[in-house]
Structures are given as C-alpha cells and as structure tokens.
Amino acid sequence: MTIAELTARVQNAGKNRDHTQRVELLKKAHVLNSQGKIDPRFFSSSNVKATENTNK
C-alpha cells in the first residue's frame, strides 16, 4: 500500500465519524484525558494552559 493510498483510506474513514467517535479516538491516542481535556502527560504545560483558557 502506498502512502497516497493509506492517506486516502484514513481520510475516508474520518468522514464517517461523529463527534463522540472522534473524542473516543483522541482518548485512545492519549491526546485527551478522561475528562476530554488535553492530556498533560504528553503536552507541555503552556499548551495545556492555552487550551484550558480557550475552552472556558
């Protein structure tokens, strides 16, 4: 499978996801923690603070 084919496959899979499925995918990837906020174990404190300020 070429990179172009893989990219197209990932893009097509993403089109069919709803918001809940996207959030669950981000939680499994440890981008979001169980509260739906950026996981501070993998992101700098400045990024965590910046996103907390924008989500209020």
Side-chain angles (χ1 to χ4, degrees):
M1 180 178 297
T2 67
I3 296 295
E5 291 170 335
L6 182 60
T7 301
R9 187 174 172 188
V10 169
Q11 288 175 340
N12 286 334
K15 290 179 185 177
N16 299 326
R17 288 189 196 110
D18 63 9
H19 178 73
T20 305
Q21 290 171 325
R22 286 185 186 104
V23 169
E24 287 303 314
L25 184 63
L26 290 171
K27 286 180 182 179
K28 286 181 183 178
H30 300 288
V31 174
L32 299 178
N33 61 19
S34 60
Q35 290 84 31
K37 298 184 184 233
I38 288 185
D39 196 335
R41 296 179 296 169
F42 302 104
F43 294 92
S44 68
S45 60
S46 62
N47 283 344
V48 173
K49 287 179 185 176
T51 57
E52 285 178 356
N53 292 335
T54 59
N55 291 334
K56 288 184 179 181

